[in-house]
Amino acid sequence: MTKWLVLPALAMLAGCGTNRPAPRPRGSKPVTLAIPTSRETQACYTDLSREAVRFSPLADRDYGGGCRVAGAVQLIDIGVPVTNLTAMRCGLARSFGGWVRHAAVPAARQMLGSDLVRVESMGTYACRNTVGTARPMLSGHAIANAVDVGAFVLEDGRRISVLNGWQSPDPQVRAFLRVLHDSACKRFGTVLSPDYNAVHRNHLHLEDDHKSFCR
Ligand SMILES: [Zn+2]
């Protein structure tokens, strides 16, 4: 097929989007969206309640530039304190709660001999593009569908950070972080670690995008 045949086809594809409202630029004033809570989100709320997770549902908001928080919650108590959590899509919050409670808590106790007393996150929602990719695209953080985890604090006072622990001289510390990484790959769609690129040298990026991309 020559390009002269391809071009009209592309024009037709582009035309498919004309019914959608024009995207609002990034940095626009947030607009609260009056959309009914989806069945999927409602089922997720039920799952969180069943797991005894305390949370509050957040209003759906459009921040412009494709940045959008919909079907999101504010986690209040998942059993272990976690710093810096703001809006998370409910499915992400559910996977994250499960990972902390059923992977991080037992791994700390069994592998490091101390209870997990705090998880340090580096944030959830942020209206921004991906960093360190060849072609910048909207980050999973821009739709509140990703969380960055930087460190785990133990009852004995140790702070296991991704930055210092990933290549720690202590094999138990290295193994602890690898176990949490591998468990995350079973629970989240995209998991990025220091093995992926330098941007991720100090955190694990956990994203609920169903992509099976584990690095
Ligand atoms: Zn991230």
Side-chain angles (χ1 to χ4, degrees):
M1 194 192 285
T2 71
K3 65 181 172 177
W4 305 112
L5 292 173
V6 173
L7 282 173
L10 284 176
M12 278 172 68
L13 280 175
C16 292
T18 51
N19 288 337
R20 298 175 64 179
R24 300 162 63 240
R26 190 173 291 190
S28 301
K29 202 163 161 251
V31 173
T32 301
L33 304 167
I35 46 177
T37 305
S38 71
R39 209 171 280 187
E40 188 189 351
T41 300
Q42 283 172 4
C44 180
Y45 292 165
T46 306
D47 291 343
L48 289 182
S49 300
R50 199 176 289 141
E51 285 272 315
V53 167
R54 284 182 58 223
F55 68 98
S56 49
L58 298 176
D60 295 338
R61 286 213 169 86
D62 184 328
Y63 292 85
C67 298
R68 196 173 207 262
V69 171
V73 299
Q74 173 67 53
L75 286 179
I76 297 167
D77 185 3
I78 61 169
V80 176
V82 183
T83 60
N84 292 318
L85 294 183
T86 56
M88 301 169 91
R89 288 191 61 120
C90 188
L92 173 73
R94 181 176 52 198
S95 296
F96 180 72
W99 180 69
V100 170
R101 289 154 71 122
H102 305 303
V105 166
R109 198 171 294 154
Q110 290 160 21
M111 302 181 71
L112 301 174
S114 184
D115 280 337
L116 182 66
V117 293
R118 190 168 73 246
V119 176
E120 294 179 5
S121 106
M122 293 158 73
T124 53
Y125 171 76
C127 184
R128 61 172 174 81
N129 283 341
T130 53
V131 185
T133 46
R135 195 166 46 86
M137 28 183 203
L138 203 63
S139 163
H141 292 283
I143 54 167
N145 209 28
V147 54
D148 293 335
V149 175
F152 303 86
V153 180
L154 306 180
E155 198 176 40
D156 64 13
R158 276 184 291 170
R159 178 176 177 273
I160 311 296
S161 69
V162 174
L163 179 65
N164 296 319
W166 196 255
Q167 298 298 349
S168 168
D170 182 340
Q172 281 302 102
V173 167
R174 288 202 308 272
F176 169 74
L177 291 175
R178 296 308 185 282
V179 162
L180 293 194
H181 172 268
D182 294 352
S183 169
C185 289
K186 294 186 188 122
R187 296 167 185 271
F188 299 90
T190 292
V191 174
L192 306 177
S193 73
D195 288 346
Y196 180 58
N197 64 16
V199 175
H200 295 86
R201 69 191 175 282
N202 63 347
H203 68 276
L204 299 175
H205 169 96
L206 313 174
E207 184 168 348
D208 185 40
D209 57 2
H210 309 285
K211 278 190 182 157
S212 301
F213 191 80
C214 170
R215 296 291 187 278

